[in-house]
Amino acid sequence: MAKRGDWVRIHSIVLKAEERTAKLPEDTMKCDLQQWTKGFLQDEEAKIGDEVTVKTAVGRLVEGTLIEENPYYNHSYGVFVPEIIEIDRQLREIMKFGGEE
């Protein structure tokens, strides 16, 4: 259960597909314009799935569905590729990187 002031992430629909401009690619026009926003919960208490209001880091108030408590960045640059290590070794040799001679 999230409490007022907790850092959370919400989801909202900015525009339904039928409300979007006709100047978009056809496949894009078929999709709702969605928004995910992080901010400080303004409601006293809320659970995942509740409609809430958050205050963003820059002070905007945004309404949406609570989807995550204490969100954090979780990304990578992909899986390990052994060939990259060999490329790095070869490049350093070619460039004599780091003053090696």
Side-chain angles (χ1 to χ4, degrees), residues 14 26 36 74 79 90 97:
V14 178
E26 187 175 330
W36 290 265
N74 184 15
V79 297
Q90 290 175 5
F97 189 78

Side-chain angles (χ1 to χ4, degrees), residues 12-69:
S12 58
I13 304 295
V14 178
L15 289 171
K16 293 281 190 188
E18 59 272 9
E19 299 171 327
R20 298 187 75 176
T21 181
K23 295 181 180 181
L24 294 171
E26 187 175 330
D27 59 339
T28 303
M29 284 178 24
K30 294 177 184 176
C31 301
D32 294 341
L33 178 59
Q34 302 179 59
Q35 170 177 277
W36 290 265
T37 307
K38 294 177 187 172
F40 299 100
L41 184 64
Q42 299 300 292
D43 302 70
E44 289 304 318
E45 285 188 340
K47 61 184 184 309
I48 302 297
D50 287 351
E51 291 298 313
V52 299
T53 301
V54 299
K55 189 174 198 175
T56 67
V58 296
R60 280 188 318 126
L61 292 175
V62 182
E63 295 178 354
T65 304
L66 181 61
I67 60 170
E68 187 177 3
E69 297 177 43

